[in-house]
Structures are given as C-alpha cells and as structure tokens.
Amino acid sequence: MHTHFGCERWHQAAAFALRYDVFVLEQGISLQDEFDELDTLERNYFVVYEQSLAVATIRYQKKNDDTVQPDRFCVRKEHRNQGIGRTLLLLLEDKATKEGFKFSILSAEKTALSFYQALDYSVNSEEYLEDGIICVEMIKKLSS
C-alpha cells in the first residue's frame, strides 16, 4: 500500500469513487450532500492505494489560520480495522502541524467516537444531524 497527497484529477477521482462507495452506497447519503462546494479543483486529498484501488481517503482543508478540518474521511469496508484510518489521520495531522496548524476539528459520526478518542480527540459539541447521521464535533490540540 502507498499513500498519495495532492489534487490531480485522477487522484481526486479515486477519492470521489471511494466516497461514493462508502458514503452514498453504504451509508445512504445523497450525492448532493456528499459532493459539495468544497470539492474544488485545487482541493487536496490523502488517498491510500492498494495498487490502483483507493482503500482510504481524507479531504485536507483549512478551517482557519490555526485549525485544520479533516473531512470526508473513510476506509473501504473490507479494509477497516487494520490501522489504515489511524495511520492516515496521523499523517494528515503531521502535515498540518508542519504547516503551523495548532488544532484539528472534525465532524465525527457518533459510531466512530471511540476511534477518535483513542487518537486524543475530545467531544466539543452537542449531538447534531449531518446528512441524516448523528455526529458530534471533536477537537484535538496538535503537538508542535
């Protein structure tokens, strides 16, 4: 497996295909909700590939000058519980830290709370519905 970071069209297409499989087909999120105005030509993604198959992805975006906002984070069903998601999120946090970000804030599905808590994220909001799924905002102070 190897990881690529960038905004090349082929790379974005791989991230989108995986997001379609996980979020639209598996979780029932509408196409219009999943693919939003933040999916621009210059938006960077991390994607983990097994040969040419995208097995995990996360969208890299800045929330503000101090905060990165990992988003659209998913792992292909048959590749879950192998540490791929953990490795990918830590890779994103490392890049964010090197770029001067102090915090990471994300929207976590309630079913994934323990995953994020194990990576030192803390709940930072009440529960809310996002695309029909119960979520909470979580925050982590990035180490410098």
Side-chain angles (χ1 to χ4, degrees):
M1 284 196 221
H2 68 282
T3 303
H4 180 78
F5 177 78
C7 64
E8 302 89 350
R9 294 308 286 159
W10 60 267
H11 182 64
Q12 287 185 346
F16 292 173
L18 177 57
R19 286 170 49 193
Y20 178 81
D21 286 349
V22 173
F23 294 123
V24 177
L25 296 181
E26 185 183 328
Q27 295 186 344
I29 295 171
S30 76
L31 282 167
Q32 295 81 359
D33 287 337
E34 176 54 29
F35 298 99
D36 60 20
E37 67 281 352
L38 298 176
D39 288 316
T40 62
L41 289 173
E42 51 287 322
R43 177 70 61 217
N44 286 297
Y45 295 83
F46 282 96
V47 179
V48 178
Y49 293 95
E50 185 176 74
Q51 292 155 11
S52 61
L53 178 69
V55 299
T57 188
I58 194 167
R59 186 165 69 183
Y60 187 80
Q61 62 194 19
K62 171 181 167 175
K63 182 173 176 73
N64 59 45
D65 289 343
D66 290 330
T67 309
V68 67
Q69 184 173 358
D71 197 17
R72 300 306 200 256
F73 180 27
C74 63
V75 177
R76 191 172 294 282
K77 194 173 202 171
E78 55 273 18
H79 289 82
R80 293 179 192 152
N81 302 309
Q82 298 175 26
I84 297 167
R86 180 183 192 283
T87 300
L88 187 57
L89 185 55
L90 291 173
L91 187 63
L92 179 145
E93 291 173 6
D94 184 57
K95 178 171 183 52
T97 301
K98 288 176 180 164
E99 291 184 358
F101 293 106
K102 295 175 176 56
F103 300 95
S104 175
I105 288 185
L106 50 81
S107 180
E109 295 179 12
K110 195 153 180 234
T111 56
L113 254 105
S114 60
F115 170 80
Y116 292 111
Q117 287 168 331
L119 291 167
D120 298 323
Y121 280 82
S122 303
V123 175
N124 195 41
S125 75
E126 297 295 320
E127 292 179 2
Y128 56 90
L129 270 184
E130 184 173 300
D131 304 329
I133 296 172
I134 298 172
C135 295
V136 291
E137 183 179 87
M138 298 189 83
I139 188 167
K140 177 180 182 175
K141 185 174 187 330
L142 300 174
S143 53
S144 45

